[in-house]
Amino acid sequence: MPTPAPPDAFRDPSGTLVFLGTGTSVGVPTVGCICAVCKSGDQRNPRTRPSVLVGLPGGTLLVDTTPDLRQQLLRERIGRVDAVLYTHDHVDHLYGLDDVRPLCYRRGAAMPVWCEEQVEKRIRKAFDYAFLPMPLPGGGVPNLAFERIGTEPFELLGCRVVPLRRRHGVFDVLGFRFGDLAYCTDTNLIPEETFGLLGGLDVFILDCLRPARHPTHFSLEESLAMAERVQAKRTILVHLGHEIAHAATSAALPPGVELAYDGLVVPLVGV
C-alpha cells in the first residue's frame, strides 16, 4: 500500500473516534498469505495494526502507537496529537512510538503518555535511546512525559476516562470508556466488575479475531455473545484477522453489530 501524499489540509477529529487500524498483530494482507481476503479488492479488507484517534474537548488523543502509525496518520490527515494513551505493551500496540517525534516537534513540548507501569517499563527498555542523559547526535528522539494510570477514572483532555480492566490470555490489559463509547480491543475475558462499567453505551468497540476460538482473543461467536449481554446501541468489531471477509461476514451479523475498517469514523456521544 503506497504512502499517501501530504494533505492540503489537516483533519479536525473533534467529537469523533477515527479507526486508524483495525487488524490483528500481523495485519491484513498477511505476509506470506494469498487467501481470498488477503488478495481481496474490497478496500475494507486491508487492515493495519489496531489503534484509534479520539477527538476530545481538550484535544486529540491517540490510543496506542502501532508499527503502522506513520502510514495511518498520513492517510487520515492528522497533523496534531495532544496525548497518547495505552491499552497494553504488546508490539502491535506500542512499537510505532518513535513516529510521534514530528508530533512532539509540532507541540514544542513533551508528549504526555498515559499508561500503566508495565507499559512504561517496556517503553523505557524498547526505546532506551529516548532516555539517555545526552541524546545521540543526528537522529532525534521522541520527547515523552509519562502519566501513570490504573483502574480509577481520570481526567484527560477535558474528558472523564474510565479504564476497563480485561484479560488478554494471561495478560492484564485496559480498555477505556469515553462518555457513552467504550473501546475494548485485545481481550478474551471481561471480568464481572468491568461489565458494571459498560451500561448505557451508544457504541461498544470490541475485539473479534476470527470465527474459530483463540487463547487470547474473542472469536466471532464469543464477541456476539458479549454484544448481546452489553446491549449497546451499536457494537463495532475490531482487531480482525484475515479469516474474516468484510462483506460476507457483515451480511451475517445481527442488527446493531458491524465490522470496523481502517478509516471508519464514529461520533463520540456523552463526552
Side-chain angles (χ1 to χ4, degrees), residues 10-38:
F10 293 117
R11 162 180 268 164
D12 179 3
S14 300
T16 65
L17 179 144
V18 181
F19 285 91
L20 298 179
T22 58
T24 183
S25 59
V26 294
V28 182
T30 300
V31 173
C33 183
I34 54 172
C35 74
V37 174
C38 287

Side-chain angles (χ1 to χ4, degrees), residues 61-77:
L61 176 66
L62 175 62
V63 181
D64 293 337
T65 55
T66 83
D68 302 312
L69 181 60
R70 176 178 173 273
Q71 175 186 331
Q72 292 168 339
L73 295 177
L74 287 172
R75 186 195 72 217
E76 298 303 325
R77 299 180 289 110

Side-chain angles (χ1 to χ4, degrees), residues 37-51:
V37 174
C38 287
K39 296 190 299 179
S40 171
D42 186 339
Q43 289 306 301
R44 298 167 299 181
N45 279 329
R47 301 164 183 139
T48 55
R49 269 67 74 91
S51 177

Side-chain angles (χ1 to χ4, degrees), residues 162-174:
V162 181
L164 304 169
R165 175 63 74 205
R166 297 162 300 113
R167 293 290 286 173
H168 179 30
V170 300
F171 303 99
D172 282 333
V173 299
L174 290 178

Side-chain angles (χ1 to χ4, degrees), residues 116-188:
E116 293 192 279
E117 181 179 8
Q118 172 58 30
V119 179
E120 180 177 345
K121 287 181 177 178
R122 180 74 65 192
I123 291 172
R124 289 185 178 277
K125 182 177 182 179
F127 300 91
D128 61 329
Y129 58 87
F131 306 101
L132 295 173
M134 181 65 69
L136 296 175
V141 297
N143 184 10
L144 310 175
F146 288 103
E147 300 283 352
R148 183 62 51 79
I149 62 173
T151 56
E152 293 299 315
F154 57 95
E155 294 293 320
L156 175 56
L157 297 177
C159 176
R160 182 176 185 265
V161 180
V162 181
L164 304 169
R165 175 63 74 205
R166 297 162 300 113
R167 293 290 286 173
H168 179 30
V170 300
F171 303 99
D172 282 333
V173 299
L174 290 178
F176 301 102
R177 179 166 180 161
F178 310 96
D180 294 330
L181 179 149
Y183 181 65
C184 292
T185 187
D186 288 63
T187 186
N188 67 324

